[in-house]
Amino acid sequence: MELTMSHWLYGLFTLLIIVTMIFRKGVVLPTLLGTFIVAWVAKGSIISGFIAIFQANLVAAQELFSIFLIITFMLALLNSLRDLGADQRMIQPIQKMMINGHVSYFVLVGVTYVISLFFWPTPAVPLICALLVPAAVRAGLPVMAAAMAIAIAGQGMALSSDYIVQVAPSLSAKAAGINIDMVADKALLLSLITGFIAIGIAYLFIRKEIRKKGDPLNKADLENMQAPKETTKPSHVKNLTKWSKLFAVIVPLALLGVVVYMVYEKLLSGRMSGFEGGDGAAFVGGVAVILLLLATVAFGKQHALDYISTHITDGFVFAFKAMGPVIPVAGFFFLGSSDFSGSILGLEKDAPAFLFDLVQSTQEFLPQNAFLAGISILIIGIITGLDGSGFSGLPLTGALAASLQNASIDVGTLAAIGQMGSVWTGGGTIVAWSSLIAIAGFCGISVMDLVRKNFLPVIIGLVTSTVIAIFLL
């Protein structure tokens, strides 16, 4: 496809956004301006530019609302448990495992990786953040470090290989015209190399910040999570302790039952059980709502009619306050994808793919040297991941892998490298407009700060695994 002025403008604003992020500044302003100018030039009408700003934010909000919703319901549940005092009792057994902040970091990594490998990170995040992160923080692990551990292990290491579900390697292999095993096995190895390096570097960065149990900063971190902090509602039950103990058992067992059921469905149904990704998150969210109803009724009796509205309202306020700035950023990058640009620009046919067209136009200039080809396809994978999906760029990186293979490097290795770049980026480790916002939301931290903390460990891991793949695979 011939590149137009709107393509070049889109590329210019993309570079501007990346530079702005590097300098640790807010990117909402350039994304809104970029959406307006690109749409104006693409449609040739300033009126279309005004409309596109609204449409881009609306499309982004629709796509991301499921994440806002799961944050809302899980936080509402946790707040209802706080009313009962069950939140403290619930994590007491887990605290015995997390003897200090150092151990807690690696426990979070291991648990997140295993669950995410089977069900993708989306349904894993609310479970882990609800049950394990508070215990880890009490043990002395800074909440930012906990968020990094979950993002790198789940959104990065587990999702980039997708070895169990195998959606990612299937997309890469089909586009490259090869057998899925040629991509899947190499992707698993590269994901582990990248993950171990990123997890290790992240640990080195935060190890001096890990505190002792009982440190006042631990309590401060917990207070930033899951607002409101303490209930001011009067209890309407005679034996609050009994209900507190009951729900401290019921809630973990219910969430454990969710995991067991999903594992059963996975084993029964094979590769795709229906609970991967969004469906799994919906299942977790639905269970959370029922638990919320029961906990609120147990605490407030007839007053639960008012209490539950307060919990859900508080959950929505928290989710939108923490994650709202991500919507305009996502809107700009959705404009670069043909899946969404039609809705944003009001086009029923021939929706432009500004970002992918720019990447594809570089194909004829890509080198045939093994090292340069490997690094080039990694960079292209990272760029395609900027749309916040991770998977949408895999057909492109797979096709490029087929065209760049030579005697020094095979197509399977190149496809796996491209898959690493795309999924580690868009899957949710180093772009804020991805499912990474769920982790940041549950942990009560800035998603942009989390991106900056993840950036260096992830990039070092990706470059190192790519060099290893080029020379050893």
Side-chain angles (χ1 to χ4, degrees):
M1 177 181 175
E2 183 180 351
L3 298 182
T4 64
M5 177 59 70
S6 52
H7 284 85
W8 293 114
L9 285 170
Y10 189 87
L12 177 64
F13 274 100
T14 300
L15 290 175
L16 178 61
I17 291 165
I18 293 171
V19 171
T20 304
M21 290 176 62
I22 291 173
F23 282 96
R24 301 186 177 186
K25 301 296 182 182
V27 295
V28 172
L29 192 153
T31 54
L32 288 172
L33 182 62
T35 302
F36 171 68
I37 292 177
V38 171
W40 178 5
V41 173
K43 294 294 294 288
S45 166
I46 191 172
I47 303 301
S48 297
F50 290 128
I51 294 172
I53 291 181
F54 181 85
Q55 288 297 118
N57 282 271
L58 180 61
V59 168
Q62 290 171 339
E63 289 298 314
L64 297 176
F65 188 71
S66 61
I67 298 174
F68 284 67
L69 203 57
I70 187 69
I71 292 173
T72 296
F73 287 149
M74 291 302 292
L75 289 179
L77 170 62
L78 291 172
N79 290 336
S80 70
L81 295 177
R82 185 174 290 111
D83 286 344
L84 290 166
D87 59 329
Q88 298 285 341
R89 298 179 187 275
M90 192 169 63
I91 63 171
Q92 286 174 353
I94 304 172
Q95 285 178 320
K96 295 178 181 178
M97 183 191 305
M98 296 183 169
I99 56 176
N100 57 49
H102 301 275
V103 172
S104 300
Y105 177 81
F106 293 103
V107 168
L108 284 177
V109 167
V111 174
T112 303
Y113 180 74
V114 172
I115 297 178
S116 300
L117 200 60
F118 280 89
F119 306 110
W120 290 349
T122 310
V125 165
L127 294 171
I128 294 165
C129 289
L131 295 179
L132 297 187
V133 171
V137 172
R138 282 184 171 86
L141 185 68
V143 70
M144 179 62 75
M148 292 171 68
I150 294 169
I152 293 172
Q155 326 269 85
M157 190 161 63
L159 190 61
S160 64
S161 72
D162 195 16
Y163 197 71
I164 302 298
V165 183
Q166 294 198 342
V167 172
S170 294
L171 290 171
S172 297
K174 286 178 182 177
I178 57 176
N179 188 284
I180 188 173
D181 293 336
M182 293 179 65
V183 178
D185 293 340
K186 292 179 179 179
L188 176 63
L189 180 59
L190 293 182
S191 71
L192 291 172
I193 293 171
T194 305
F196 287 150
I197 291 172
I199 288 165
I201 293 175
Y203 174 72
L204 291 176
F205 284 171
I206 56 93
R207 73 187 191 283
K208 292 183 179 179
E209 300 175 17
I210 295 176
R211 306 178 285 258
K212 295 181 179 179
K213 284 185 177 181
D215 192 300
L217 292 176
N218 297 344
K219 185 177 180 180
D221 273 352
L222 286 169
E223 287 177 349
N224 287 330
M225 298 174 62
Q226 309 148 2
K229 286 77 182 177
E230 293 182 2
T231 182
T232 57
K233 308 180 189 73
S235 173
H236 294 274
V237 291
K238 293 180 179 179
N239 195 343
L240 186 62
T241 302
K242 180 187 73 174
W243 288 107
S244 175
K245 291 179 178 179
L246 181 62
F247 276 90
V249 174
I250 289 176
V251 172
L253 285 180
L255 296 179
L256 178 63
V258 168
V259 175
V260 170
Y261 181 75
M262 290 195 295
V263 170
Y264 171 76
E265 285 293 311
K266 167 74 69 177
L267 297 175
L268 190 68
S269 305
R271 202 174 74 188
M272 293 295 287
S273 66
F275 284 109
E276 291 77 12
D279 288 341
F283 181 33
V284 174
V287 172
V289 170
I290 298 302
L291 292 172
L292 167 64
L293 296 175
L294 295 174
T296 308
V297 170
F299 178 78
K301 300 301 182 184
Q302 73 273 17
H303 297 278
L305 295 169
D306 297 319
Y307 289 175
I308 194 167
S309 298
T310 302
H311 287 317
I312 291 179
T313 301
D314 289 341
F316 271 119
V317 169
F318 180 85
F320 276 89
K321 186 176 180 180
M323 303 296 108
V326 174
I327 291 176
V329 182
F332 174 80
F333 284 97
F334 286 172
L335 179 60
S337 170
S338 59
D339 293 338
F340 304 105
S341 61
S343 300
I344 294 171
L345 297 174
L347 299 173
E348 295 183 3
K349 296 181 180 179
D350 301 323
F354 298 117
L355 184 62
F356 291 160
D357 288 345
L358 284 168
V359 173
Q360 207 160 16
S361 68
T362 65
Q363 183 172 355
E364 60 182 290
F365 304 105
L366 295 178
Q368 294 301 311
N369 172 276
F371 179 78
L372 294 178
I375 295 297
S376 297
I377 205 164
L378 172 65
I379 293 172
I380 288 171
I382 291 172
I383 293 172
T384 60
L386 290 176
D387 70 345
S389 164
F391 283 23
S392 59
L394 297 181
L396 176 58
T397 56
L400 288 176
S403 65
L404 291 176
Q405 66 171 321
N406 54 57
S408 302
I409 190 166
D410 66 273
V411 61
T413 301
L414 285 172
I417 291 172
Q419 182 175 311
M420 292 300 104
S422 183
V423 180
W424 272 89
T425 303
T429 61
I430 56 175
V431 294
W433 44 95
S434 64
S435 54
L436 188 67
I437 63 175
I439 297 175
F442 280 116
C443 292
I445 57 176
S446 164
V447 67
M448 299 305 296
D449 287 344
L450 180 55
V451 166
R452 295 182 189 108
K453 291 283 188 179
N454 284 341
F455 185 80
L456 200 56
V458 169
I459 293 298
I460 292 173
L462 285 172
V463 172
T464 305
S465 66
T466 300
V467 171
I468 291 173
I470 292 168
F471 290 107
L472 297 180
L473 294 185

